[in-house]
Amino acid sequence: MPTYRPGPVSLVLAALVALFLLLPLLAVIPVSLTPTRMLAMPSGELSLRHYRALIEDPRWINSILLSIRIGVVSSAFSTVLALCFSLGVWMFQPRFTAALVGFVLLPMVVPPVVSAITLYFLLTSISGVSSFFGYDTWLGVAMAHAVMTVPFATVLILVSLSQLDRRIDLAARGLGATVWERATRIIMPNIKFGIVTAALLSFVLSWEEIGVTLFITSVNAITLPRLMWMGLRDNIDPAIAALSVILIIITVLVLAARSVMVRLRGAH
């Protein structure tokens, strides 16, 4: 089978497009090195004071740890819900499958502000019953994030299930396997990549969620995106630029590690 390689013109155009897309991200790097207290390009002198502020200021550390905790809990919760729903729809094929899938995907198509207002009233009502799970609590934020990420996890798992041969499940059922055994020992091992992808996507979406978080938090559950938003709104803190650079570096390292793993897997 012939291998097609892009020509020099295609490579130059691709490089220009990539540079155009990356320039706004690269502009954050010099801003993070400014010695001033405001977001501005450095004028000759460079400083690492804003990177040091990320370590010395407990607000940033606490918000990062809180965002990780919320992301892990909401990712686990949304992945379990999406997996149970997807397995039920795929295995039993109910009559109103399309309607059920559409209902689950509603948070994906409804404007975020509508979901935020609905979750706000729900959590404030729960706060009157329990202060542990409600408005401005980390567990309430995690459950709200799970509501917003379940549709995305469901889509990924349903796509994985659509590529699975149903005859495997039919053979297991014909041999006397129970529903639990079919789901856990036959189907789930064959879609484990989709499950892991759904969990990772749910974590990322929870990590960067800001619209709903602004409605359901006040002073106690300050996630990292909310703290960054407060810094931009109140005092334009350059530490946000330093944090952005760190997140960009982490993203690049993760993508590079994934590329290396794919190459090693292809070589073997």
Side-chain angles (χ1 to χ4, degrees):
M1 185 175 181
T3 301
Y4 298 96
R5 297 183 179 275
V9 177
S10 300
L11 292 176
V12 171
L13 291 177
L16 291 176
V17 172
L19 184 62
F20 174 77
L21 295 175
L22 290 175
L23 278 178
L25 297 178
L26 298 178
V28 178
I29 298 177
V31 173
S32 67
L33 299 174
T34 180
T36 64
R37 295 184 177 181
M38 306 292 290
L39 282 174
M41 285 290 183
S43 55
E45 183 182 357
L46 301 178
S47 174
L48 296 175
R49 57 178 295 186
H50 304 298
Y51 289 91
R52 187 168 60 250
L54 293 177
I55 302 175
E56 296 177 350
D57 192 343
R59 295 182 306 164
W60 292 105
I61 302 298
N62 293 335
S63 65
I64 291 174
L65 295 177
L66 180 62
S67 293
I68 293 175
R69 187 198 314 170
I70 292 174
V72 170
V73 173
S74 66
S75 174
F77 193 65
S78 62
T79 304
V80 170
L81 288 179
L83 181 60
C84 293
F85 173 80
S86 302
L87 287 176
V89 168
W90 189 84
M91 294 174 66
F92 300 106
Q93 297 180 317
R95 179 180 303 178
F96 304 105
T97 298
L100 292 174
V101 173
F103 180 77
V104 171
L105 299 185
L106 273 179
M108 183 187 294
V109 297
V110 171
V113 65
V114 176
S115 300
I117 295 174
T118 304
L119 291 170
Y120 166 78
F121 284 110
L122 174 64
L123 292 178
T124 50
S125 300
I126 295 176
S127 296
V129 179
S130 173
S131 60
F132 180 71
F133 174 73
Y135 176 78
D136 201 22
T137 62
W138 75 269
L139 192 54
V141 175
M143 295 301 102
H145 286 187
V147 172
M148 302 301 296
T149 56
V150 161
F152 299 92
T154 301
V155 169
L156 290 174
I157 296 176
L158 285 177
V159 170
S160 298
L161 286 171
S162 66
Q163 300 173 357
L164 184 63
D165 193 345
R166 283 190 175 274
R167 290 175 295 182
I168 299 176
D169 182 51
L170 292 175
R173 185 170 61 180
L175 293 172
T178 63
V179 174
W180 176 258
E181 290 173 338
R182 287 158 51 200
T184 57
R185 308 176 79 176
I186 305 299
I187 301 176
M188 290 174 58
N190 284 281
I191 61 168
K192 57 184 178 181
F193 180 76
I195 297 174
V196 172
T197 305
L200 290 176
L201 179 62
S202 299
F203 177 83
V204 171
L205 292 175
S206 173
W207 172 269
E208 65 181 12
E209 170 59 44
I210 180 62
V212 172
T213 307
L214 290 176
F215 277 80
I216 61 176
T217 59
S218 179
V219 294
N220 295 322
I222 305 298
T223 62
L224 182 60
R226 180 176 176 84
L227 185 60
M228 295 175 68
W229 180 82
M230 291 167 57
L232 288 173
R233 185 193 65 175
D234 297 336
N235 55 6
I236 317 297
D237 191 354
I240 299 174
L243 180 61
S244 301
V245 173
I246 295 175
L247 293 177
I248 292 173
I249 293 174
I250 293 175
T251 303
V252 171
L253 291 177
V254 171
L255 293 177
R258 182 183 180 277
S259 300
V260 172
M261 292 177 61
V262 171
R263 285 180 176 270
L264 292 177
R265 185 179 302 175
H268 289 296

